[in-house]
Amino acid sequence: MEDDYENNNKSDYDIGDIVDSVHKVLQPSRPFVFFSNSGYEYILRRTLGSVEWNREVRQKWMNIQVMKLVDFDVYLYRFVKADAEADAAAEVAAGRNHILKPSKKRRRH
């Protein structure tokens, strides 16, 4: 029974655990980049808990970029660790709250 739980559900939490671990050791203003075949809404919900650029996300990450590499049918995720909570508070005061959506990138030949 426990093996079934780990096989079926643990993979849902692995990427979130990895991103949380990276956040703990990453220096402020430094990027963390990874690739995934999964759609951006799925990955962002698993890594951030939401697709919204909310206060909780801004406290941890100063910038998040999602790019679809069309030629490879894969998404590139780039998270940049926030410098301080003050940066997040400034964005909240400025009223910046948007949905994260991927941009499309094509490989140049």
Side-chain angles (χ1 to χ4, degrees), residues 7-75:
N7 290 338
N8 293 330
N9 296 321
K10 186 58 179 165
S11 64
D12 289 345
Y13 302 104
D14 286 342
I15 189 66
D17 293 342
I18 292 168
V19 171
D20 287 344
S21 295
V22 168
H23 185 269
K24 289 178 187 176
V25 299
L26 196 63
Q27 295 294 320
S29 299
R30 304 303 280 173
F32 168 57
V33 177
F34 63 96
F35 299 91
S36 176
N37 290 332
S38 299
Y40 75 95
E41 289 180 342
Y42 175 84
I43 291 295
L44 293 176
R45 282 195 177 97
R46 295 298 183 268
T47 57
L48 306 174
S50 172
V51 181
E52 298 286 329
W53 184 245
N54 58 35
R55 181 185 171 116
E56 184 179 330
V57 172
R58 285 190 299 265
Q59 285 177 338
K60 292 177 80 172
W61 304 104
M62 69 183 333
N63 186 304
I64 297 172
Q65 295 175 319
V66 180
M67 292 171 262
K68 183 169 185 177
L69 305 176
V70 177
D71 293 342
F72 301 105
D73 197 29
V74 69
Y75 288 91

